Amino acid sequence: TLTSINNLGSLLQDQGDLDGAGALSREALEGHRETLGDRHSDTLTSINNLGSLLQDQGDLDGAGALSREALEGHRETLGDRHSDTLTSIN
């Protein structure tokens, strides 16, 4: 369910509905943190997605904080050369 919420949030972001995307992205991230913990790959993906959304909304400080959190989590759990870590760097 959380993955579907996250995916719908990404779709709304692509369609330009940034407010709708934000609500769903935050819901997915909160759910992932509560059920899977901060360092689970699904949680880190949600963190990265919300960071991307905040960047699209012009909240560069918020986007930067979430992007750094996702990168640190990926490095810690997957290592520097894993594809998810490299995606976070990009």
Side-chain angles (χ1 to χ4, degrees), residues 47-82:
I47 292 168
N48 201 52
N49 289 348
L50 183 55
S52 172
L53 174 67
L54 292 180
Q55 183 176 350
D56 286 353
Q57 290 178 322
D59 180 359
L60 301 184
D61 291 336
L66 289 175
S67 295
R68 284 188 292 278
E69 181 181 354
L71 175 58
E72 290 170 11
H74 281 124
R75 281 188 165 155
E76 180 183 306
T77 59
L78 302 173
D80 287 337
R81 297 293 176 227
H82 190 278

Side-chain angles (χ1 to χ4, degrees), residues 6-52:
N6 198 45
N7 290 344
L8 181 56
S10 293
L11 175 65
L12 292 178
Q13 182 178 354
D14 290 344
Q15 292 177 331
D17 181 1
L18 301 184
D19 291 335
L24 290 174
S25 295
R26 285 178 178 83
E27 180 182 350
L29 176 54
E30 181 181 323
H32 280 127
R33 285 192 196 271
E34 288 176 5
T35 59
L36 302 173
D38 289 336
R39 292 299 188 236
H40 189 278
S41 62
D42 289 348
T43 305
L44 295 170
T45 297
S46 289
I47 292 168
N48 201 52
N49 289 348
L50 183 55
S52 172

